[in-house]
Each structure stands twice: as C-alpha cells, then as structure tokens.
Amino acid sequence: MDIDYKLLMDQAKEASKYSYSPFSKFAVGAAVLMSNGNIYTGCNVENSSFGMTICAERCAIFKAVSEGQKEILAVAIYSPNADDCYPCGACRQVMYEFQGENEISIITESKGNPVIRKMKDFLPYGFRI
Ligand code: THU
C-alpha cells in the first residue's frame, strides 16, 4: 500500500491541537496508518496524578487496536514544541508489538520537512513473547 506521509503528518498535527498537557505544556499528536488503510489519531493526555499520563502514540495505537486493527504500517509524530519529535521508549515497544509483515515507518518533521525512518532505527531487538 502506498503511504501518504503528508496526510499522516497533517493528521498528527491536527491531533496535537487536542493535547491535554497543562503540566508539561508539551503538546504531542500522533497518527497511525493500519494495514486496512484506516488512520487513527491520538494526543497526549496528562493527569494531576502524573503517572496516569498517556503519550499521543499509545493513545492512537490503542484506539486502533480497540477497533480491531492490529497491524501498523506507519506512525507520524508531531509536537509544536520540538523539532523532530521522537517516540519515547515505552511507545516504541508498543509499536513493535503491532508490527506486522512490513516494517513500520516512523514519520517526524524537522524544520518543516518530513523525515521518514524505520522501526529498527528506533528499536532494534524489540521484545516479543
Ligand atoms: N509524550 C508523548 O506524547 N509522546 C512521546 O513519545 C513522548 C512524551 C508526552 C507525554 C507528556 O504528556 C509530555 O509529552 C511530556 O513528557
């Protein structure tokens, strides 16, 4: 399937507008493309009890999985507060869990330009049972 990287990044940007991040003031948006062509978006959602916070990437992935989509093709991540915003280690492991036959593409944005990398660049030797 052809991946529309720009569309995915646009969706991540749109999702970042819904970020609930009054504590860190660090907004993040994510968009995941699943193997059936569906796109799910997510934003970081913080909490007064800080450990309850969920990252944008996991928010989007859990939306997809909870609607029956378990194979990620690509993930776009955007923060208006950081150039080239990377996924945290926890989100990398969750992405890895839902990698299918095709290696996941991870899209970020640096100085206004898309940067496309592969899952193994972010998490070599990921854990799976
Ligand atoms: N955050 C994400 O949403 N995704 C990441 O991969 C890294 C961190 C959020 C969590 C928290 O709300 C804020 O960024 C600062 O850590």
Side-chain angles (χ1 to χ4, degrees):
M1 182 194 303
D2 280 347
I3 298 174
D4 189 338
Y5 299 108
K6 186 183 177 315
L7 173 71
L8 215 55
M9 179 50 76
D10 285 347
Q11 301 253 319
K13 285 182 181 175
E14 194 60 28
S16 74
K17 295 177 186 165
Y18 299 115
S19 166
Y20 179 73
S21 45
F23 306 108
S24 72
K25 301 193 178 359
F26 190 89
V28 186
V32 288
L33 171 68
M34 308 306 289
S35 60
N36 73 340
N38 282 7
I39 294 173
Y40 297 84
T41 60
C43 64
N44 56 332
V45 183
E46 298 186 347
N47 192 276
S48 299
S49 177
F50 298 158
M52 301 299 101
T53 294
I54 185 155
C55 291
E57 298 90 320
R58 275 177 292 154
C59 176
I61 293 166
F62 293 160
K63 281 168 72 177
V65 175
S66 66
E67 294 194 20
Q69 297 307 313
K70 295 185 178 65
E71 198 176 330
I72 302 173
L73 296 181
V75 184
I77 305 153
Y78 176 79
S79 172
N81 307 108
D83 191 56
D84 206 7
C85 185
Y86 291 172
C88 78
C91 290
R92 293 175 197 202
Q93 177 61 33
V94 170
M95 287 175 200
Y96 188 79
E97 182 75 24
F98 297 106
Q99 178 166 263
E101 285 186 2
N102 299 301
E103 192 181 3
I104 295 171
S105 297
I106 298 178
I107 303 112
T108 60
E109 189 175 90
S110 180
K111 299 181 177 70
N113 300 311
V115 182
I116 299 151
R117 299 183 178 93
K118 287 294 186 180
M119 184 74 215
K120 66 175 175 306
D121 297 329
F122 285 93
L123 185 68
Y125 307 108
F127 177 72
R128 238 187 222 159
I129 295 174

PDB file of all heavy atoms in Angstrom, residues 19-30 43-47 50 53-58 77-79 85-92 95, ligand 1:
ATOM      1  N   SER A  19      -4.233  18.071  22.386  1.00  0.00           N
ATOM      2  CA  SER A  19      -3.384  17.660  23.514  1.00  0.00           C
ATOM      3  C   SER A  19      -3.875  18.268  24.824  1.00  0.00           C
ATOM      4  O   SER A  19      -4.168  19.466  24.903  1.00  0.00           O
ATOM      5  CB  SER A  19      -1.950  18.132  23.251  1.00  0.00           C
ATOM      6  OG  SER A  19      -1.180  18.057  24.436  1.00  0.00           O
ATOM      7  N   TYR A  20      -3.952  17.403  25.853  1.00  0.00           N
ATOM      8  CA  TYR A  20      -4.259  17.889  27.194  1.00  0.00           C
ATOM      9  C   TYR A  20      -2.951  17.796  27.986  1.00  0.00           C
ATOM     10  O   TYR A  20      -2.576  16.719  28.476  1.00  0.00           O
ATOM     11  CB  TYR A  20      -5.356  17.035  27.848  1.00  0.00           C
ATOM     12  CG  TYR A  20      -5.674  17.491  29.257  1.00  0.00           C
ATOM     13  CD1 TYR A  20      -6.385  18.665  29.477  1.00  0.00           C
ATOM     14  CD2 TYR A  20      -5.230  16.763  30.355  1.00  0.00           C
ATOM     15  CE1 TYR A  20      -6.655  19.108  30.766  1.00  0.00           C
ATOM     16  CE2 TYR A  20      -5.495  17.188  31.648  1.00  0.00           C
ATOM     17  CZ  TYR A  20      -6.209  18.368  31.847  1.00  0.00           C
ATOM     18  OH  TYR A  20      -6.468  18.805  33.121  1.00  0.00           O
ATOM     19  N   SER A  21      -2.212  18.894  28.021  1.00  0.00           N
ATOM     20  CA  SER A  21      -0.878  18.881  28.619  1.00  0.00           C
ATOM     21  C   SER A  21      -0.629  20.131  29.459  1.00  0.00           C
ATOM     22  O   SER A  21       0.336  20.866  29.226  1.00  0.00           O
ATOM     23  CB  SER A  21       0.181  18.739  27.519  1.00  0.00           C
ATOM     24  OG  SER A  21      -0.102  19.592  26.422  1.00  0.00           O
ATOM     25  N   PRO A  22      -1.523  20.366  30.460  1.00  0.00           N
ATOM     26  CA  PRO A  22      -1.371  21.576  31.271  1.00  0.00           C
ATOM     27  C   PRO A  22      -0.150  21.523  32.188  1.00  0.00           C
ATOM     28  O   PRO A  22       0.292  22.566  32.671  1.00  0.00           O
ATOM     29  CB  PRO A  22      -2.665  21.601  32.108  1.00  0.00           C
ATOM     30  CG  PRO A  22      -3.084  20.172  32.201  1.00  0.00           C
ATOM     31  CD  PRO A  22      -2.673  19.551  30.885  1.00  0.00           C
ATOM     32  N   PHE A  23       0.402  20.320  32.433  1.00  0.00           N
ATOM     33  CA  PHE A  23       1.508  20.189  33.386  1.00  0.00           C
ATOM     34  C   PHE A  23       2.858  20.351  32.679  1.00  0.00           C
ATOM     35  O   PHE A  23       3.692  21.150  33.092  1.00  0.00           O
ATOM     36  CB  PHE A  23       1.391  18.851  34.132  1.00  0.00           C
ATOM     37  CG  PHE A  23       0.028  18.703  34.768  1.00  0.00           C
ATOM     38  CD1 PHE A  23      -0.908  17.825  34.258  1.00  0.00           C
ATOM     39  CD2 PHE A  23      -0.338  19.519  35.834  1.00  0.00           C
ATOM     40  CE1 PHE A  23      -2.181  17.733  34.814  1.00  0.00           C
ATOM     41  CE2 PHE A  23      -1.612  19.440  36.388  1.00  0.00           C
ATOM     42  CZ  PHE A  23      -2.538  18.549  35.873  1.00  0.00           C
ATOM     43  N   SER A  24       3.061  19.599  31.617  1.00  0.00           N
ATOM     44  CA  SER A  24       4.341  19.717  30.889  1.00  0.00           C
ATOM     45  C   SER A  24       4.310  20.863  29.878  1.00  0.00           C
ATOM     46  O   SER A  24       5.354  21.357  29.469  1.00  0.00           O
ATOM     47  CB  SER A  24       4.637  18.412  30.147  1.00  0.00           C
ATOM     48  OG  SER A  24       3.772  18.262  29.031  1.00  0.00           O
ATOM     49  N   LYS A  25       3.124  21.233  29.444  1.00  0.00           N
ATOM     50  CA  LYS A  25       2.960  22.191  28.351  1.00  0.00           C
ATOM     51  C   LYS A  25       3.713  21.732  27.082  1.00  0.00           C
ATOM     52  O   LYS A  25       4.161  22.536  26.275  1.00  0.00           O
ATOM     53  CB  LYS A  25       3.399  23.602  28.775  1.00  0.00           C
ATOM     54  CG  LYS A  25       2.585  24.111  29.970  1.00  0.00           C
ATOM     55  CD  LYS A  25       2.770  25.562  30.196  1.00  0.00           C
ATOM     56  CE  LYS A  25       1.959  26.149  31.335  1.00  0.00           C
ATOM     57  NZ  LYS A  25       1.053  25.278  32.091  1.00  0.00           N
ATOM     58  N   PHE A  26       3.800  20.434  26.944  1.00  0.00           N
ATOM     59  CA  PHE A  26       4.463  19.828  25.778  1.00  0.00           C
ATOM     60  C   PHE A  26       3.395  19.039  25.019  1.00  0.00           C
ATOM     61  O   PHE A  26       3.007  17.937  25.415  1.00  0.00           O
ATOM     62  CB  PHE A  26       5.600  18.912  26.247  1.00  0.00           C
ATOM     63  CG  PHE A  26       6.490  18.430  25.146  1.00  0.00           C
ATOM     64  CD1 PHE A  26       7.609  19.164  24.755  1.00  0.00           C
ATOM     65  CD2 PHE A  26       6.221  17.233  24.482  1.00  0.00           C
ATOM     66  CE1 PHE A  26       8.437  18.707  23.735  1.00  0.00           C
ATOM     67  CE2 PHE A  26       7.041  16.774  23.460  1.00  0.00           C
ATOM     68  CZ  PHE A  26       8.150  17.517  23.093  1.00  0.00           C
ATOM     69  N   ALA A  27       2.884  19.639  23.957  1.00  0.00           N
ATOM     70  CA  ALA A  27       1.804  19.014  23.188  1.00  0.00           C
ATOM     71  C   ALA A  27       2.372  18.021  22.179  1.00  0.00           C
ATOM     72  O   ALA A  27       3.414  18.287  21.550  1.00  0.00           O
ATOM     73  CB  ALA A  27       0.996  20.086  22.463  1.00  0.00           C
ATOM     74  N   VAL A  28       1.693  16.896  22.031  1.00  0.00           N
ATOM     75  CA  VAL A  28       2.103  15.898  21.028  1.00  0.00           C
ATOM     76  C   VAL A  28       0.850  15.366  20.329  1.00  0.00           C
ATOM     77  O   VAL A  28      -0.196  15.171  20.965  1.00  0.00           O
ATOM     78  CB  VAL A  28       2.862  14.712  21.670  1.00  0.00           C
ATOM     79  CG1 VAL A  28       3.397  13.764  20.592  1.00  0.00           C
ATOM     80  CG2 VAL A  28       4.016  15.182  22.555  1.00  0.00           C
ATOM     81  N   GLY A  29       0.977  15.149  19.033  1.00  0.00           N
ATOM     82  CA  GLY A  29      -0.087  14.499  18.263  1.00  0.00           C
ATOM     83  C   GLY A  29       0.506  13.335  17.487  1.00  0.00           C
ATOM     84  O   GLY A  29       1.692  13.368  17.109  1.00  0.00           O
ATOM     85  N   ALA A  30      -0.290  12.309  17.263  1.00  0.00           N
ATOM     86  CA  ALA A  30       0.186  11.145  16.503  1.00  0.00           C
ATOM     87  C   ALA A  30      -0.924  10.661  15.587  1.00  0.00           C
ATOM     88  O   ALA A  30      -2.118  10.850  15.873  1.00  0.00           O
ATOM     89  CB  ALA A  30       0.611  10.023  17.443  1.00  0.00           C
ATOM     90  N   CYS A  43      -3.566  12.083  20.962  1.00  0.00           N
ATOM     91  CA  CYS A  43      -2.775  13.175  21.542  1.00  0.00           C
ATOM     92  C   CYS A  43      -2.365  12.746  22.949  1.00  0.00           C
ATOM     93  O   CYS A  43      -2.928  11.787  23.491  1.00  0.00           O
ATOM     94  CB  CYS A  43      -3.577  14.473  21.581  1.00  0.00           C
ATOM     95  SG  CYS A  43      -5.027  14.393  22.643  1.00  0.00           S
ATOM     96  N   ASN A  44      -1.387  13.435  23.510  1.00  0.00           N
ATOM     97  CA  ASN A  44      -1.032  13.115  24.897  1.00  0.00           C
ATOM     98  C   ASN A  44      -2.112  13.655  25.827  1.00  0.00           C
ATOM     99  O   ASN A  44      -2.647  14.757  25.632  1.00  0.00           O
ATOM    100  CB  ASN A  44       0.363  13.612  25.262  1.00  0.00           C
ATOM    101  CG  ASN A  44       0.590  15.085  25.046  1.00  0.00           C
ATOM    102  OD1 ASN A  44      -0.035  15.699  24.192  1.00  0.00           O
ATOM    103  ND2 ASN A  44       1.491  15.662  25.813  1.00  0.00           N
ATOM    104  N   VAL A  45      -2.433  12.859  26.830  1.00  0.00           N
ATOM    105  CA  VAL A  45      -3.464  13.213  27.809  1.00  0.00           C
ATOM    106  C   VAL A  45      -2.841  13.077  29.194  1.00  0.00           C
ATOM    107  O   VAL A  45      -2.537  11.964  29.639  1.00  0.00           O
ATOM    108  CB  VAL A  45      -4.711  12.305  27.690  1.00  0.00           C
ATOM    109  CG1 VAL A  45      -5.786  12.755  28.678  1.00  0.00           C
ATOM    110  CG2 VAL A  45      -5.267  12.332  26.261  1.00  0.00           C
ATOM    111  N   GLU A  46      -2.598  14.216  29.835  1.00  0.00           N
ATOM    112  CA  GLU A  46      -1.941  14.216  31.143  1.00  0.00           C
ATOM    113  C   GLU A  46      -2.968  14.159  32.267  1.00  0.00           C
ATOM    114  O   GLU A  46      -4.184  14.221  32.040  1.00  0.00           O
ATOM    115  CB  GLU A  46      -1.055  15.467  31.251  1.00  0.00           C
ATOM    116  CG  GLU A  46       0.036  15.461  30.181  1.00  0.00           C
ATOM    117  CD  GLU A  46       1.037  16.585  30.292  1.00  0.00           C
ATOM    118  OE1 GLU A  46       0.794  17.561  31.048  1.00  0.00           O
ATOM    119  OE2 GLU A  46       2.075  16.500  29.603  1.00  0.00           O
ATOM    120  N   ASN A  47      -2.440  14.007  33.492  1.00  0.00           N
ATOM    121  CA  ASN A  47      -3.311  13.907  34.654  1.00  0.00           C
ATOM    122  C   ASN A  47      -2.613  14.529  35.855  1.00  0.00           C
ATOM    123  O   ASN A  47      -1.378  14.492  35.934  1.00  0.00           O
ATOM    124  CB  ASN A  47      -3.628  12.425  34.925  1.00  0.00           C
ATOM    125  CG  ASN A  47      -4.747  12.253  35.914  1.00  0.00           C
ATOM    126  OD1 ASN A  47      -4.539  12.284  37.127  1.00  0.00           O
ATOM    127  ND2 ASN A  47      -5.955  12.101  35.410  1.00  0.00           N
ATOM    128  N   PHE A  50       0.553  12.417  37.885  1.00  0.00           N
ATOM    129  CA  PHE A  50       1.345  12.464  36.648  1.00  0.00           C
ATOM    130  C   PHE A  50       1.539  11.120  35.949  1.00  0.00           C
ATOM    131  O   PHE A  50       1.572  11.043  34.730  1.00  0.00           O
ATOM    132  CB  PHE A  50       2.720  13.080  36.917  1.00  0.00           C
ATOM    133  CG  PHE A  50       2.673  14.498  37.411  1.00  0.00           C
ATOM    134  CD1 PHE A  50       3.746  15.033  38.110  1.00  0.00           C
ATOM    135  CD2 PHE A  50       1.565  15.313  37.194  1.00  0.00           C
ATOM    136  CE1 PHE A  50       3.716  16.332  38.575  1.00  0.00           C
ATOM    137  CE2 PHE A  50       1.521  16.614  37.660  1.00  0.00           C
ATOM    138  CZ  PHE A  50       2.594  17.128  38.361  1.00  0.00           C
ATOM    139  N   THR A  53      -0.515   9.755  32.885  1.00  0.00           N
ATOM    140  CA  THR A  53      -0.388  10.347  31.544  1.00  0.00           C
ATOM    141  C   THR A  53      -0.217   9.280  30.476  1.00  0.00           C
ATOM    142  O   THR A  53       0.493   8.301  30.670  1.00  0.00           O
ATOM    143  CB  THR A  53       0.836  11.293  31.526  1.00  0.00           C
ATOM    144  OG1 THR A  53       0.558  12.390  32.386  1.00  0.00           O
ATOM    145  CG2 THR A  53       1.143  11.793  30.124  1.00  0.00           C
ATOM    146  N   ILE A  54      -0.875   9.506  29.332  1.00  0.00           N
ATOM    147  CA  ILE A  54      -0.631   8.612  28.187  1.00  0.00           C
ATOM    148  C   ILE A  54      -0.068   9.439  27.032  1.00  0.00           C
ATOM    149  O   ILE A  54      -0.488  10.583  26.805  1.00  0.00           O
ATOM    150  CB  ILE A  54      -1.895   7.835  27.754  1.00  0.00           C
ATOM    151  CG1 ILE A  54      -1.527   6.841  26.648  1.00  0.00           C
ATOM    152  CG2 ILE A  54      -3.011   8.765  27.311  1.00  0.00           C
ATOM    153  CD1 ILE A  54      -2.436   5.661  26.549  1.00  0.00           C
ATOM    154  N   CYS A  55       0.885   8.867  26.345  1.00  0.00           N
ATOM    155  CA  CYS A  55       1.505   9.539  25.197  1.00  0.00           C
ATOM    156  C   CYS A  55       0.550   9.513  23.999  1.00  0.00           C
ATOM    157  O   CYS A  55      -0.322   8.644  23.889  1.00  0.00           O
ATOM    158  CB  CYS A  55       2.781   8.829  24.791  1.00  0.00           C
ATOM    159  SG  CYS A  55       4.135   8.957  25.964  1.00  0.00           S
ATOM    160  N   ALA A  56       0.795  10.430  23.088  1.00  0.00           N
ATOM    161  CA  ALA A  56      -0.027  10.536  21.878  1.00  0.00           C
ATOM    162  C   ALA A  56       0.012   9.252  21.051  1.00  0.00           C
ATOM    163  O   ALA A  56      -1.027   8.801  20.530  1.00  0.00           O
ATOM    164  CB  ALA A  56       0.470  11.706  21.041  1.00  0.00           C
ATOM    165  N   GLU A  57       1.198   8.664  20.938  1.00  0.00           N
ATOM    166  CA  GLU A  57       1.347   7.478  20.083  1.00  0.00           C
ATOM    167  C   GLU A  57       0.523   6.311  20.625  1.00  0.00           C
ATOM    168  O   GLU A  57      -0.179   5.618  19.888  1.00  0.00           O
ATOM    169  CB  GLU A  57       2.819   7.041  20.012  1.00  0.00           C
ATOM    170  CG  GLU A  57       3.745   8.069  19.420  1.00  0.00           C
ATOM    171  CD  GLU A  57       4.340   9.011  20.459  1.00  0.00           C
ATOM    172  OE1 GLU A  57       3.611   9.421  21.395  1.00  0.00           O
ATOM    173  OE2 GLU A  57       5.523   9.341  20.331  1.00  0.00           O
ATOM    174  N   ARG A  58       0.645   6.069  21.949  1.00  0.00           N
ATOM    175  CA  ARG A  58      -0.112   4.953  22.513  1.00  0.00           C
ATOM    176  C   ARG A  58      -1.611   5.228  22.484  1.00  0.00           C
ATOM    177  O   ARG A  58      -2.421   4.328  22.305  1.00  0.00           O
ATOM    178  CB  ARG A  58       0.374   4.634  23.922  1.00  0.00           C
ATOM    179  CG  ARG A  58       1.592   3.703  23.891  1.00  0.00           C
ATOM    180  CD  ARG A  58       2.127   3.450  25.258  1.00  0.00           C
ATOM    181  NE  ARG A  58       2.708   4.669  25.806  1.00  0.00           N
ATOM    182  CZ  ARG A  58       2.818   4.936  27.096  1.00  0.00           C
ATOM    183  NH1 ARG A  58       2.345   4.088  27.968  1.00  0.00           N
ATOM    184  NH2 ARG A  58       3.395   6.043  27.507  1.00  0.00           N
ATOM    185  N   ILE A  77       4.445  11.464  14.070  1.00  0.00           N
ATOM    186  CA  ILE A  77       4.506  12.098  15.390  1.00  0.00           C
ATOM    187  C   ILE A  77       4.848  13.572  15.207  1.00  0.00           C
ATOM    188  O   ILE A  77       5.780  13.915  14.462  1.00  0.00           O
ATOM    189  CB  ILE A  77       5.596  11.435  16.264  1.00  0.00           C
ATOM    190  CG1 ILE A  77       5.356   9.929  16.353  1.00  0.00           C
ATOM    191  CG2 ILE A  77       5.624  12.053  17.659  1.00  0.00           C
ATOM    192  CD1 ILE A  77       6.624   9.142  16.588  1.00  0.00           C
ATOM    193  N   TYR A  78       4.102  14.410  15.924  1.00  0.00           N
ATOM    194  CA  TYR A  78       4.341  15.857  15.790  1.00  0.00           C
ATOM    195  C   TYR A  78       4.194  16.548  17.138  1.00  0.00           C
ATOM    196  O   TYR A  78       3.277  16.238  17.917  1.00  0.00           O
ATOM    197  CB  TYR A  78       3.315  16.457  14.817  1.00  0.00           C
ATOM    198  CG  TYR A  78       3.440  17.955  14.707  1.00  0.00           C
ATOM    199  CD1 TYR A  78       4.431  18.530  13.926  1.00  0.00           C
ATOM    200  CD2 TYR A  78       2.576  18.803  15.414  1.00  0.00           C
ATOM    201  CE1 TYR A  78       4.572  19.908  13.837  1.00  0.00           C
ATOM    202  CE2 TYR A  78       2.701  20.182  15.337  1.00  0.00           C
ATOM    203  CZ  TYR A  78       3.703  20.725  14.546  1.00  0.00           C
ATOM    204  OH  TYR A  78       3.846  22.083  14.469  1.00  0.00           O
ATOM    205  N   SER A  79       5.106  17.461  17.394  1.00  0.00           N
ATOM    206  CA  SER A  79       4.945  18.354  18.542  1.00  0.00           C
ATOM    207  C   SER A  79       5.233  19.779  18.082  1.00  0.00           C
ATOM    208  O   SER A  79       6.272  20.020  17.447  1.00  0.00           O
ATOM    209  CB  SER A  79       5.914  17.998  19.675  1.00  0.00           C
ATOM    210  OG  SER A  79       5.827  19.012  20.670  1.00  0.00           O
ATOM    211  N   CYS A  85      10.374  15.356  16.661  1.00  0.00           N
ATOM    212  CA  CYS A  85       9.925  14.771  17.937  1.00  0.00           C
ATOM    213  C   CYS A  85       9.899  13.241  17.854  1.00  0.00           C
ATOM    214  O   CYS A  85       9.166  12.675  17.043  1.00  0.00           O
ATOM    215  CB  CYS A  85       8.533  15.307  18.268  1.00  0.00           C
ATOM    216  SG  CYS A  85       7.934  14.774  19.872  1.00  0.00           S
ATOM    217  N   TYR A  86      10.700  12.589  18.675  1.00  0.00           N
ATOM    218  CA  TYR A  86      10.821  11.120  18.668  1.00  0.00           C
ATOM    219  C   TYR A  86       9.832  10.462  19.632  1.00  0.00           C
ATOM    220  O   TYR A  86       9.476  11.068  20.642  1.00  0.00           O
ATOM    221  CB  TYR A  86      12.220  10.708  19.126  1.00  0.00           C
ATOM    222  CG  TYR A  86      13.357  11.022  18.201  1.00  0.00           C
ATOM    223  CD1 TYR A  86      14.668  10.828  18.624  1.00  0.00           C
ATOM    224  CD2 TYR A  86      13.141  11.504  16.920  1.00  0.00           C
ATOM    225  CE1 TYR A  86      15.742  11.101  17.783  1.00  0.00           C
ATOM    226  CE2 TYR A  86      14.208  11.776  16.080  1.00  0.00           C
ATOM    227  CZ  TYR A  86      15.515  11.569  16.517  1.00  0.00           C
ATOM    228  OH  TYR A  86      16.562  11.835  15.703  1.00  0.00           O
ATOM    229  N   PRO A  87       9.460   9.234  19.348  1.00  0.00           N
ATOM    230  CA  PRO A  87       8.626   8.494  20.312  1.00  0.00           C
ATOM    231  C   PRO A  87       9.454   8.049  21.514  1.00  0.00           C
ATOM    232  O   PRO A  87      10.637   7.702  21.364  1.00  0.00           O
ATOM    233  CB  PRO A  87       8.159   7.277  19.508  1.00  0.00           C
ATOM    234  CG  PRO A  87       9.200   7.084  18.453  1.00  0.00           C
ATOM    235  CD  PRO A  87       9.736   8.454  18.132  1.00  0.00           C
ATOM    236  N   CYS A  88       8.851   8.019  22.674  1.00  0.00           N
ATOM    237  CA  CYS A  88       9.560   7.557  23.884  1.00  0.00           C
ATOM    238  C   CYS A  88       9.747   6.035  23.822  1.00  0.00           C
ATOM    239  O   CYS A  88       9.166   5.355  22.968  1.00  0.00           O
ATOM    240  CB  CYS A  88       8.788   7.955  25.147  1.00  0.00           C
ATOM    241  SG  CYS A  88       7.361   6.906  25.491  1.00  0.00           S
ATOM    242  N   GLY A  89      10.542   5.525  24.730  1.00  0.00           N
ATOM    243  CA  GLY A  89      10.859   4.095  24.721  1.00  0.00           C
ATOM    244  C   GLY A  89       9.635   3.208  24.898  1.00  0.00           C
ATOM    245  O   GLY A  89       9.508   2.166  24.243  1.00  0.00           O
ATOM    246  N   ALA A  90       8.725   3.633  25.774  1.00  0.00           N
ATOM    247  CA  ALA A  90       7.519   2.830  26.006  1.00  0.00           C
ATOM    248  C   ALA A  90       6.694   2.731  24.726  1.00  0.00           C
ATOM    249  O   ALA A  90       6.198   1.653  24.361  1.00  0.00           O
ATOM    250  CB  ALA A  90       6.690   3.443  27.137  1.00  0.00           C
ATOM    251  N   CYS A  91       6.555   3.840  24.022  1.00  0.00           N
ATOM    252  CA  CYS A  91       5.762   3.840  22.779  1.00  0.00           C
ATOM    253  C   CYS A  91       6.440   3.018  21.690  1.00  0.00           C
ATOM    254  O   CYS A  91       5.774   2.366  20.886  1.00  0.00           O
ATOM    255  CB  CYS A  91       5.513   5.269  22.315  1.00  0.00           C
ATOM    256  SG  CYS A  91       4.368   6.158  23.399  1.00  0.00           S
ATOM    257  N   ARG A  92       7.764   3.028  21.679  1.00  0.00           N
ATOM    258  CA  ARG A  92       8.484   2.209  20.688  1.00  0.00           C
ATOM    259  C   ARG A  92       8.158   0.729  20.892  1.00  0.00           C
ATOM    260  O   ARG A  92       7.943  -0.017  19.942  1.00  0.00           O
ATOM    261  CB  ARG A  92       9.995   2.433  20.816  1.00  0.00           C
ATOM    262  CG  ARG A  92      10.398   3.829  20.417  1.00  0.00           C
ATOM    263  CD  ARG A  92      11.880   4.098  20.647  1.00  0.00           C
ATOM    264  NE  ARG A  92      12.081   5.547  20.625  1.00  0.00           N
ATOM    265  CZ  ARG A  92      13.226   6.146  20.380  1.00  0.00           C
ATOM    266  NH1 ARG A  92      14.306   5.449  20.136  1.00  0.00           N
ATOM    267  NH2 ARG A  92      13.303   7.473  20.382  1.00  0.00           N
ATOM    268  N   MET A  95       4.636   0.045  19.683  1.00  0.00           N
ATOM    269  CA  MET A  95       4.616  -0.014  18.208  1.00  0.00           C
ATOM    270  C   MET A  95       5.122  -1.374  17.735  1.00  0.00           C
ATOM    271  O   MET A  95       4.544  -1.990  16.835  1.00  0.00           O
ATOM    272  CB  MET A  95       5.535   1.067  17.614  1.00  0.00           C
ATOM    273  CG  MET A  95       5.010   2.459  17.715  1.00  0.00           C
ATOM    274  SD  MET A  95       6.311   3.576  17.102  1.00  0.00           S
ATOM    275  CE  MET A  95       5.736   5.087  17.850  1.00  0.00           C
TER     276      MET A  95
HETATM  277  N1  THU B   1       4.879  12.426  25.202  1.00  0.00           N
HETATM  278  C1  THU B   1       4.197  11.873  24.164  1.00  0.00           C
HETATM  279  O1  THU B   1       3.003  12.140  23.978  1.00  0.00           O
HETATM  280  N2  THU B   1       4.855  11.032  23.343  1.00  0.00           N
HETATM  281  C2  THU B   1       6.150  10.675  23.475  1.00  0.00           C
HETATM  282  O2  THU B   1       6.637   9.799  22.771  1.00  0.00           O
HETATM  283  C3  THU B   1       6.993  11.365  24.456  1.00  0.00           C
HETATM  284  C4  THU B   1       6.256  12.130  25.512  1.00  0.00           C
HETATM  285  C5  THU B   1       4.166  13.328  26.111  1.00  0.00           C
HETATM  286  C6  THU B   1       3.940  12.788  27.498  1.00  0.00           C
HETATM  287  C7  THU B   1       3.814  14.046  28.302  1.00  0.00           C
HETATM  288  O3  THU B   1       2.461  14.477  28.272  1.00  0.00           O
HETATM  289  C8  THU B   1       4.649  15.072  27.559  1.00  0.00           C
HETATM  290  O4  THU B   1       4.907  14.512  26.275  1.00  0.00           O
HETATM  291  C9  THU B   1       5.957  15.397  28.230  1.00  0.00           C
HETATM  292  O5  THU B   1       6.667  14.252  28.531  1.00  0.00           O
END
